[in-house]
């Protein structure tokens, strides 16, 4: 397939996508294939079949590219260290790390148990930090790079029954700012992208219900859900050289929800 290089002045050649079979990942990967020669695609064990199908599609449509599938648990430091070892073993110099992994449970705060709190924070915040740390160690040896994590509008404004989720995403946004401050001297940019509710094939049967749609969209000034493509466009921009002076920022893609 002929490459169209969606990134202006694209010079970055290796990307790692963490949590690649999400609705965002499924839309993002084909675009990344147009610019990156090598992509590391990671997922947890429960998504192995989906990852295998995704890698097979990539190899069929982009036979000239290299795709490295990795099954890992971002909450386990031994898996993060294996990711580090993979970079060393294959002499990979990362240019971009895109952290899409994330989980949420709708539970009232008075009923929230320690195990759920820990699980949400482990994936959303701890996993982001240690994967970013591993990427930064690698990027320092090259010419820097770009790290972007998918946060949420709920890291900026709150919503009920989401104590663990809101706090983990708020932490993610602030952590990215701190890392941007520390790692800027190495040419490493760190940003977050915060979506509103995303309409996808997996949740359309819920979000398109008339009552649900009216309740939520009444709170969105643009009166529409975000699409996976909306989020991908922001990710593609922030990892590109066009965003070369943007770091420590939270790009909110919410149709205006947080302006109120």
């Amino acid at each position: 397939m002929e490459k169209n290089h969606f990134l202006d002045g694209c010079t970055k050649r290796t990307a790692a996508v963490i949590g690649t079979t999400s609705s965002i990942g499924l839309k993002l990967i084909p675009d990344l294939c147009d610019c990156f020669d090598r992509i590391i695609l990671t997922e947890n064990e429960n998504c192995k079949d989906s990852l295998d199908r995704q890698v097979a599609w990539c190899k069929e449509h982009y036979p000239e590219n290299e795709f490295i599938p990795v099954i890992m648990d971002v909450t386990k430091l031994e898996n993060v260290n294996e990711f580090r070892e993979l970079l060393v073993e294959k002499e990979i110099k990362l240019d971009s790390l895109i952290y899409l992994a994330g989980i949420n449970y709708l539970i009232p705060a008075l009923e929230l148990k320690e195990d759920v709190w820990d699980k949400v924070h482990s994936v959303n915040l701890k996993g982001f930090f240690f994967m970013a740390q591993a990427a930064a160690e690698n990027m320092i040896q090259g010419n820097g790079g770009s790290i972007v994590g998918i946060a949420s509008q709920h890291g900026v404004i709150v919503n009920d029954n989401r104590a663990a989720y809101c706090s983990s995403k708020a932490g993610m946004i602030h952590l990215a700012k701190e890392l941007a401050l520390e790692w800027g001297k190495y040419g490493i940019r760190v940003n977050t992208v915060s979506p509103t509710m995303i309409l996808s094939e997996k949740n359309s049967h819920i979000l398109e219900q008339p009552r649900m749609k009216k309740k939520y969209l009444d709170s969105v000034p643009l009166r529409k859900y975000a699409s996976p493509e909306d989020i991908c466009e922001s990710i593609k921009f922030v990892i590109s050289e066009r965003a070369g002076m943007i770091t420590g920022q939270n790009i909110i893609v919410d149709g205006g929800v947080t302006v109120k």
Side-chain angles (χ1 to χ4, degrees):
M1 182 176 292
E2 182 179 356
K3 296 189 177 185
N4 58 35
H5 294 299
F6 67 81
L7 301 179
D8 290 345
C10 177
T11 58
K12 298 183 182 300
R13 310 310 299 172
T14 304
V17 182
I18 314 304
T20 185
T21 65
S22 65
S23 62
I24 298 172
L26 292 174
K27 295 295 184 182
L28 180 64
I29 293 300
D31 283 346
L32 294 184
C33 291
D34 283 335
C35 188
F36 292 87
D37 295 317
R38 177 169 48 195
I39 301 176
I40 303 171
L41 307 95
T42 85
E43 262 300 352
N44 61 58
E45 182 65 38
N46 293 334
C47 296
K48 184 179 183 305
D49 290 344
S50 296
L51 178 61
D52 288 343
R53 288 192 296 271
Q54 187 177 44
V55 171
W57 184 93
C58 289
K59 289 182 176 179
E60 177 184 354
H61 291 84
Y62 295 88
E64 71 279 15
N65 290 22
E66 179 182 3
F67 301 98
I68 305 174
V70 176
I71 295 296
M72 67 178 296
D73 183 342
V74 296
T75 70
K76 296 182 178 178
L77 293 187
E78 58 264 34
N79 283 186
V80 178
N81 288 332
E82 289 169 359
F83 178 81
R84 284 186 171 94
E85 293 168 3
L86 171 70
L87 300 180
V88 173
E89 178 186 336
K90 291 187 173 291
E91 298 182 345
I92 294 172
K93 291 295 182 287
L94 276 182
D95 297 295
S96 293
L97 176 84
I98 303 165
Y99 192 87
L100 304 180
I103 58 172
N104 182 24
Y105 295 95
L106 300 183
I107 301 174
L110 289 175
E111 300 174 14
L112 186 59
K113 304 301 183 183
E114 181 183 16
D115 60 335
V116 176
W117 174 275
D118 288 346
K119 185 174 183 179
V120 171
H121 277 258
S122 290
V123 174
N124 296 355
L125 187 56
K126 175 185 173 182
F128 174 59
F129 171 71
F130 284 105
M131 290 304 297
Q133 183 188 65
E137 291 170 357
N138 178 275
M139 291 173 178
I140 287 172
Q141 302 173 40
N143 297 314
S146 175
I147 297 170
V148 58
I150 297 301
S152 170
Q153 67 180 12
H154 290 137
V156 179
I157 58 172
V158 297
N159 200 346
D160 58 1
N161 300 328
R162 295 169 173 84
Y165 185 74
C166 289
S167 57
S168 67
K169 292 299 186 176
M172 188 178 186
I173 292 166
H174 211 61
L175 172 61
K177 294 177 182 293
E178 197 282 338
L179 299 180
L181 179 64
E182 280 200 39
W183 296 343
K185 61 188 175 184
Y186 303 117
I188 299 172
R189 298 184 299 108
V190 187
N191 295 285
T192 50
V193 172
S194 287
T196 186
M197 192 80 75
I198 301 171
L199 180 65
S200 68
E201 292 181 4
K202 292 182 179 179
N203 63 21
S204 62
H205 65 289
I206 297 175
L207 298 188
E208 291 287 19
Q209 292 178 7
R211 184 176 177 181
M212 175 68 178
K213 190 172 185 178
K214 183 179 188 314
K215 177 182 178 182
Y216 183 74
L217 295 187
D218 280 351
S219 70
V220 183
L222 289 182
R223 298 295 188 268
K224 61 180 180 178
Y225 294 115
S227 68
E229 290 87 351
D230 291 326
I231 314 308
C232 292
E233 289 301 319
S234 296
I235 295 171
K236 286 154 52 178
F237 168 71
V238 84
I239 65 173
S240 75
E241 293 304 319
R242 290 174 292 166
M245 277 295 285
I246 297 177
T247 193
Q249 301 303 308
N250 181 38
I251 312 301
I252 305 175
V253 190
D254 70 347
V257 173
T258 59
V259 302
K260 295 181 295 181

